[in-house]
């Protein structure tokens, strides 16, 4: 344990036990140096030096002091142990020995005190040296920080100088070649400016100032001429405004003449004024359809429907509303009271906005010779950039309602596949799919009933063409594209209407068991046909696909969900022939397809009876014989009549079962050259006119 350091002087660093009883006269001892002997009194007085432990610390070795400390501690332990042992004996003679050892112990304690003071002095000197070194380091660090701050300040100043932009840098000066070519020598001074960039820049700025002064004078002259022209325009406007009422009165007076001459100029003028507000695709359709109607088809009528005011409002810029503070406060109160719409409501609003139609629409009426009219209404979806169409049929005479003819004139299926593969269920614009994904619309087919069908031919009539490889958000309307498709599309539309109306009349007769055959087609059939049609009904696609004898037609991709499906039943006696009919939307250009199943003495189809397959080929393969007069709308009824005819031939040429008593069920009434032919025992289904007999093909 370290003892407190007391400033005092000692006569020596260590004392032996022999010299502890008598102190020597004043002697100063220093470790590492020779001991001074006795001197005279005069010399001693002159060389008297006071003992200083701080000086002695510099002369002593700390390692030796440490070894002395260890030896002293060990000696103290030994003396204390001896004193304890002597005391434990309890002999009176041991008192002198105990005192002697106590004296020695005190001497060792004095040595420890001295070593303690020396240790404290060394510690103090070490701290002082450390403090001095730290002060030097702090001084050097402060100088370094000052230098770094000065460097940073200089760098900032350099950056400011480098980033400084003069106003002349914002001015677009003419090129050097043009400057030296056009500027006069007193401004360009090539002898000086070519070698000094600063003088060159000043000269270019002087030339720019000179040019701007000239342009300012020219601008003033133009303003004066503009004011004169504006005054002239105002005078002409006043003249024209006064002329407008006179023209209106003249137009009103000429209305009876226009009606008498069938030249409605006034109505056409109003229509063309309204057409200015149509979107580009509808405008292209309106112009091309009107031009085609005037040039080639007088029965084609084009008109514009919808609100012109709403169309004008679409192109008006939003007005800057400057509300009072009271109005804004009231609006804030209203908005705080309103509840925030849910996510579902927001999506519904986004869907409605995306599927929004233009307020104006174009109607095209196609009139046929029998005064039947096909009404087409074309719409434009502004955000999707596609056109849609809705169809409606108006007949001149009220037609007999046939149950099986329900889908013939339906607006959803009337125009399907006008061109091959054009179903009108998907949007033709590839970019719309990305828009649908944002608002959660899976496909446009869920909204075609409300919006109309986006057929590809509708887009082409509006001049829109969408590439299939990559989506484009903006597609411009092309007049040439619309003009190139207008004539063919109008012909296809009129043909589709006439074919559907003809089928509608035929279905009314077929449902009553009558197969209508025109006089032009009577030569295709014999005079007497016993088999008769007893049932004609429409069936859904699912029921048609479930029939076992229609698989070949489905696998050949001749039956799709856009086609029309019917079931015909032809009977003769106990024989019943079922005919599943696929009616293509492009009838009669594309013929119906028949699949047959005969129920007589078992079930006979094309898979187990070669003659049934031959009967199918008579109506499916040799259909060109049954077209009749153009445009061939009687093909379906002629095919059904031929089925009745070949069923008679099939039944009458069957061999009679001799095991059954009685007359033959189906007596042979048709004249056949040969009943059967070939290894497949095919029957003669070909009717030869005018001879009236049947033969093999």
């Amino acid at each position: 344990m370290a003892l407190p350091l007391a400033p005092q002087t000692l006569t020596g660093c260590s004392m032996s036990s022999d010299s502890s009883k008598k102190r020597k006269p004043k002697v100063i001892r220093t470790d590492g140096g020779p001991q001074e002997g006795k001197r005279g009194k005069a010399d001693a007085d002159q060389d008297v030096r006071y003992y200083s432990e701080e000086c002695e610390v510099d002369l002593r070795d700390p390692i030796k002091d440490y070894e002395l400390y260890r030896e002293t501690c060990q000696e103290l332990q030994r003396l204390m142990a001896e004193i304890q042992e002597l005391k434990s004996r309890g002999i009176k003679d041991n008192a002198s020995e105990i005192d002697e050892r106590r004296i020695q112990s005190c001497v060792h304690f004095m040595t420890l005190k001295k070593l303690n003071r020396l240790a404290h002095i060394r510690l103090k000197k070490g701290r002082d040296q450390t403090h001095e070194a730290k002060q030097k380091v702090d001084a050097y660090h402060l100088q370094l920080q000052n230098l770094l701050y000065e460097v940073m300040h200089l760098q900032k100043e350099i950056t400011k100088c480098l980033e400084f932009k003069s106003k002349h840098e914002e001015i677009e000066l003419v090129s050097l070649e043009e400057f030296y070519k056009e500027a006069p020598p007193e401004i360009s001074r090539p002898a000086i400016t070519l070698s000094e960039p600063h003088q060159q820049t000043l000269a270019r700025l002087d030339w720019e100032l000179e040019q701007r002064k000239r342009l300012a004078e020219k601008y003033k002259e133009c303003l004066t001429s503009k004011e004169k022209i504006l005054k002239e325009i105002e005078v002409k406007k006043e003249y024209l405004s006064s002329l407008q009422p006179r023209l209106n009165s003249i137009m009103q007076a000429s209305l009876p003449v226009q009606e008498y001459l069938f030249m409605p100029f006034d109505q056409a003028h109003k229509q063309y004024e309204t057409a200015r507000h149509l979107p580009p695709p509808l405008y292209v359709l309106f112009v091309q359809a009107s031009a085609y109607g005037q040039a080639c088809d007088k029965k084609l009528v084009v008109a514009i429907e919808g609100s012109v005011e709403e169309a004008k409002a679409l192109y008006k810029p939003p007005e800057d509303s400057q509300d009072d503070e009271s109005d804004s406060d009231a609006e804030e109160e209203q908005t705080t009271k309103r509840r925030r719409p849910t996510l579902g409501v927001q999506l519904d609003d986004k869907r409605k906005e995306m599927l929004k139609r233009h307020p104006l629409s174009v109607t095209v009426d196609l009139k046929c010779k029998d005064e039947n009219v096909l009404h087409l209404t074309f719409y434009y979806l502004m955000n999707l950039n596609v056109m849609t169409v809705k169809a409606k049929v108006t007949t001149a005479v009220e037609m007999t309602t046939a149950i099986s003819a329900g889908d013939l004139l339906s607006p959803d299926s009337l125009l399907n596949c006008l061109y091959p593969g054009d179903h009108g269920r998907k949007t033709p614009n590839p970019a719309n799919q990305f828009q649908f994904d944002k608002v959660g619309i899976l496909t446009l087919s869920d909204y075609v009933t409300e919006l109309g069908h986006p057929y590809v031919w509708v887009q082409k009539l509006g001049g829109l063409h969408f590439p299939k490889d990559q989506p484009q958000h903006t597609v411009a309307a092309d007049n040439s594209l619309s003009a190139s498709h207008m004539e063919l599309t109008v012909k296809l539309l009129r043909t589709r209407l006439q074919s559907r109306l003809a089928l509608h009349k035929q279905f009314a007769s077929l449902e009553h068991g009558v197969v209508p055959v025109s006089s032009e087609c009577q030569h295709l059939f014999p005079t007497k046909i016993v088999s008769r049609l007893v049932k004609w009904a429409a069936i859904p696609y699912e029921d048609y696909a479930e029939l076992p004898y229609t698989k070949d037609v489905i696998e050949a991709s001749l039956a799709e969900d856009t086609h029309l499906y019917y079931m015909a039943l032809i009977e003769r006696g106990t024989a019943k022939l079922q005919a599943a009919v696929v009616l293509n939307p492009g009838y009669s250009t594309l013929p119906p397809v028949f699949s047959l199943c005969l129920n007589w003495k078992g079930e006979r189809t094309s898979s187990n009876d070669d003659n049934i397959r031959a009967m199918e080929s008579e109506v499916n393969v040799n259909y060109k014989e049954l077209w009749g007069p153009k445009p061939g709308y009687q093909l379906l009824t002629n095919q059904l009549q031929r089925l009745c005819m070949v069923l008679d031939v099939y039944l009458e040429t069957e061999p009679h079962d001799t095991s059954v008593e009685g007359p033959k069920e189906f007596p042979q009434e048709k004249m056949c050259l040969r009943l059967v032919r070939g290894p497949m025992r095919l029957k003669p289904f070909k009717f030869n006119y005018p001879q009236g007999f049947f033969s093999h093909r």
Side-chain angles (χ1 to χ4, degrees):
M1 181 176 178
L3 298 175
L5 181 62
Q8 55 182 334
T9 60
L10 297 177
T11 58
C13 64
S14 66
M15 297 181 183
S16 64
S17 59
D18 296 337
S19 61
S20 61
K21 294 181 181 180
K22 297 181 181 180
R23 291 185 178 274
K24 295 181 180 181
K26 290 184 180 179
V27 177
I28 299 175
R29 180 187 299 173
T30 57
D31 293 345
Q35 295 182 357
E36 297 180 356
K38 297 180 180 180
R39 298 183 181 181
K41 210 173 190 181
D43 295 333
D45 293 336
Q46 293 178 1
D47 298 333
V48 169
R49 290 180 297 172
Y50 291 97
Y51 178 77
S52 174
E53 289 181 346
E54 294 181 359
C55 296
E56 186 179 2
V57 166
D58 298 333
L59 301 175
R60 294 175 67 91
D61 188 2
I63 298 175
K64 291 182 179 181
D65 288 346
Y66 176 67
E67 292 177 356
L68 178 60
Y69 167 74
R70 289 182 61 186
E71 293 174 357
T72 305
C73 291
Q74 292 175 0
E75 190 67 23
L76 274 174
Q77 290 177 357
R78 184 183 62 79
L79 291 174
M80 292 300 173
E82 290 177 357
I83 291 172
Q84 184 178 6
E85 184 180 356
L86 291 173
K87 283 186 176 183
S88 62
R89 291 178 183 175
I91 302 174
K92 295 181 179 180
D93 296 338
N94 294 334
S96 60
E97 295 180 4
I98 293 172
D99 293 337
E100 183 179 357
R101 284 175 172 77
R102 284 179 179 173
I103 293 171
Q104 293 177 3
S105 301
C106 291
V107 172
H108 288 306
F109 274 118
M110 296 300 292
T111 302
L112 290 176
K113 287 184 179 182
K114 178 178 178 62
L115 292 174
N116 184 26
R117 288 194 299 275
L118 292 175
H120 279 284
I121 292 171
R122 285 195 184 95
L123 178 61
K124 183 176 179 300
K125 285 188 175 183
R127 287 178 177 173
D128 293 341
Q129 291 175 359
T130 304
H131 184 65
E132 290 177 1
K134 185 179 179 182
Q135 285 183 342
K136 288 181 180 180
V137 171
D138 291 342
Y140 291 146
H141 184 70
L142 182 60
Q143 292 178 3
L144 177 62
Q145 293 296 326
N146 292 336
L147 291 174
L148 291 176
Y149 180 77
E150 188 174 356
V151 169
M152 183 177 65
H153 176 69
L154 292 175
Q155 288 178 346
K156 287 183 179 180
E157 293 297 325
I158 292 171
T159 305
K160 287 182 181 179
C161 293
L162 293 176
E163 292 179 352
F164 175 76
K165 291 184 179 180
S166 178
K167 288 186 177 181
H168 80 278
E169 295 179 0
E170 301 176 358
I171 301 174
E172 294 182 3
L173 301 176
V174 297
S175 62
L176 289 175
E177 296 179 358
E178 187 178 353
F179 168 67
Y180 285 111
K181 184 178 179 181
E182 297 180 357
E186 59 270 13
I187 294 179
S188 61
R189 295 176 296 168
I192 301 174
T193 56
L194 287 173
S195 58
E196 296 184 10
H198 179 65
Q199 294 296 330
Q200 186 183 67
T201 304
L202 293 177
R204 293 174 70 185
L205 290 173
D206 291 339
W207 176 237
E208 182 71 20
L209 178 62
E210 184 68 22
Q211 284 183 320
R212 293 195 177 193
K213 287 181 179 179
R214 295 177 184 176
L215 291 174
E217 293 177 358
K218 189 175 181 180
Y219 174 71
K220 291 180 180 178
E221 294 176 359
C222 293
L223 283 179
T224 54
S225 62
K226 179 183 175 182
E227 291 177 357
K228 292 180 181 178
I229 294 172
L230 287 176
K231 289 180 180 178
E232 294 177 0
I233 292 173
E234 290 295 331
V235 173
K236 292 181 179 180
K237 281 184 177 180
E238 291 178 359
Y239 172 74
L240 292 175
S241 61
S242 62
L243 187 62
Q244 183 66 30
R246 298 180 182 178
L247 292 176
N248 292 335
S249 61
I250 293 173
M251 291 296 295
Q252 291 292 331
S254 65
L255 287 178
V257 180
Q258 294 180 25
E259 294 176 357
Y260 181 76
L261 297 177
F262 299 101
M263 301 173 65
F265 296 113
D266 189 27
Q267 183 179 358
H269 177 71
K270 291 181 180 179
Q271 199 168 26
Y272 280 107
E273 283 294 325
T274 307
R276 293 172 50 196
H277 305 287
L278 287 173
L282 290 181
Y283 182 79
V284 170
L285 172 65
F286 173 76
V287 172
Q288 295 298 330
S290 301
Y292 179 78
Q294 294 175 5
C296 306
D297 193 345
K298 300 299 182 181
K299 293 186 178 182
L300 187 144
V301 180
V302 186
I304 300 174
E305 295 182 353
S307 174
V308 180
E309 298 299 328
E310 293 182 9
K312 291 180 180 179
L314 290 176
Y315 300 101
K316 286 184 179 180
E319 298 180 356
D320 297 333
S321 58
Q322 298 179 354
D323 298 334
D324 298 335
E325 294 182 358
S326 59
D327 296 338
S328 61
D329 294 340
E331 289 180 359
E332 289 179 0
E333 292 178 1
Q334 291 179 359
T335 53
T336 54
K337 292 180 180 179
R338 294 175 183 173
R339 291 185 178 180
R340 187 175 183 179
T342 60
L343 182 61
V345 175
Q346 291 178 355
L347 283 177
D348 290 340
D349 295 341
K350 290 181 180 179
R351 293 191 192 104
K352 292 179 181 178
E353 182 64 24
M354 183 169 292
L355 302 175
K356 188 177 181 181
R357 296 187 304 202
H358 194 273
L360 296 178
S361 59
V362 176
T363 61
V364 178
D365 295 342
L366 291 174
K367 295 182 180 180
C368 301
K369 294 180 180 179
D370 50 2
E371 299 302 325
N372 296 314
V373 183
L374 174 62
H375 304 278
L376 300 176
T377 305
F378 296 89
Y379 302 97
Y380 177 67
L381 306 182
M382 297 181 289
N383 295 321
L384 299 182
N385 193 28
V386 295
M387 292 175 59
T388 60
V389 64
K390 284 187 176 182
K392 182 183 177 182
V393 178
T394 302
T395 57
V397 181
E398 185 176 356
M399 304 181 68
T400 305
T401 57
I403 299 175
S404 58
D407 292 336
L408 289 178
L409 301 179
S410 173
D412 293 334
S413 61
L414 177 61
L415 303 179
N416 278 351
C417 299
L418 189 67
Y419 288 88
D422 192 2
H423 305 112
R425 295 177 181 174
K426 296 182 180 179
T427 171
N429 188 356
N432 294 156
Q433 191 59 45
F434 299 98
Q435 297 173 296
F436 292 163
D437 294 341
K438 292 182 180 180
V439 297
I441 297 177
L442 297 178
T443 177
L444 191 64
S445 59
D446 300 334
Y447 303 90
V448 293
T449 304
E450 178 185 357
L451 302 176
H453 292 268
Y455 296 110
V456 177
W457 58 268
V458 175
Q459 318 307 318
K460 292 181 179 179
L461 290 183
L464 297 177
H465 174 66
F466 302 99
K468 297 181 180 180
D469 295 337
Q470 56 183 0
Q472 292 185 358
H473 294 282
T474 56
V475 179
D478 188 3
N479 281 281
S480 60
L481 179 65
S482 175
S484 62
H485 287 77
M486 181 63 68
E487 184 175 2
L488 178 59
T489 303
V490 170
K491 289 182 179 179
L492 290 175
L493 288 170
R494 187 171 276 115
T495 302
R496 174 64 61 86
L497 176 62
Q498 292 174 349
S499 66
R500 291 297 174 90
L501 291 174
L503 285 174
H504 197 283
K505 294 179 181 178
Q506 294 170 12
F507 285 2
S509 300
L510 294 177
E511 287 186 357
H512 291 85
V514 179
V515 181
V517 178
S518 62
S519 58
E520 295 88 350
C521 300
Q522 289 291 343
H523 66 280
L524 299 174
F525 312 102
T527 306
K528 183 178 181 182
I529 297 178
V530 183
S531 299
R532 60 188 182 87
L533 178 70
V534 296
K535 181 182 178 182
W536 175 262
I539 60 173
Y541 172 74
E542 292 76 11
D543 294 349
Y544 178 86
E546 291 178 357
L547 296 175
Y549 51 90
T550 60
K551 293 182 179 179
D552 294 338
V553 178
I554 296 175
E555 292 176 357
S557 300
L558 297 176
E560 299 179 1
D561 54 353
T562 55
H563 295 178
L564 303 175
Y565 299 92
Y566 301 93
M567 179 62 72
L569 181 61
I570 301 173
E571 292 184 357
R572 179 177 178 181
T574 59
K576 296 182 180 180
L577 178 66
Q578 292 181 350
V581 186
V582 180
L583 189 65
N584 193 288
Y587 177 86
S588 64
T589 305
L590 298 174
V593 179
F594 287 74
S595 300
L596 304 179
C597 177
L598 178 61
N599 293 313
W600 182 64
K601 296 181 180 180
E603 188 174 285
R604 307 184 185 188
T605 62
S606 60
S607 60
N608 57 17
D609 193 334
D610 294 330
N611 285 294
I612 298 296
R613 185 183 298 109
M615 292 169 62
E616 289 181 353
S617 66
E618 284 294 323
V619 292
N620 293 334
V621 179
N622 302 311
Y623 65 92
K624 293 184 179 179
E625 301 174 359
L626 306 174
W627 249 334
K630 292 184 179 181
Y633 297 145
Q634 302 174 13
L635 175 60
L636 177 63
T637 56
N638 291 342
Q639 286 176 314
L640 290 172
Q641 187 71 357
R642 175 165 283 189
L643 278 181
C644 295
M645 180 188 72
V646 296
L647 180 60
D648 284 348
V649 175
Y650 182 92
L651 296 175
E652 292 175 7
T653 55
E654 279 290 305
H656 179 64
D657 189 2
T658 57
S659 62
V660 179
E661 296 181 358
K664 189 177 180 181
E665 182 181 3
F666 303 109
Q668 185 174 353
E669 298 177 354
K670 308 293 188 293
M671 184 173 61
C672 304
L673 295 181
R674 294 177 61 183
L675 296 182
V676 293
R677 188 182 70 176
M680 292 187 293
R681 314 296 288 173
L682 295 179
K683 301 182 178 184
F685 293 123
K686 180 181 179 182
F687 178 70
N688 295 274
Y689 179 82
Q691 293 82 4
F693 62 88
F694 288 84
S695 64
H696 292 84
R697 288 191 180 274

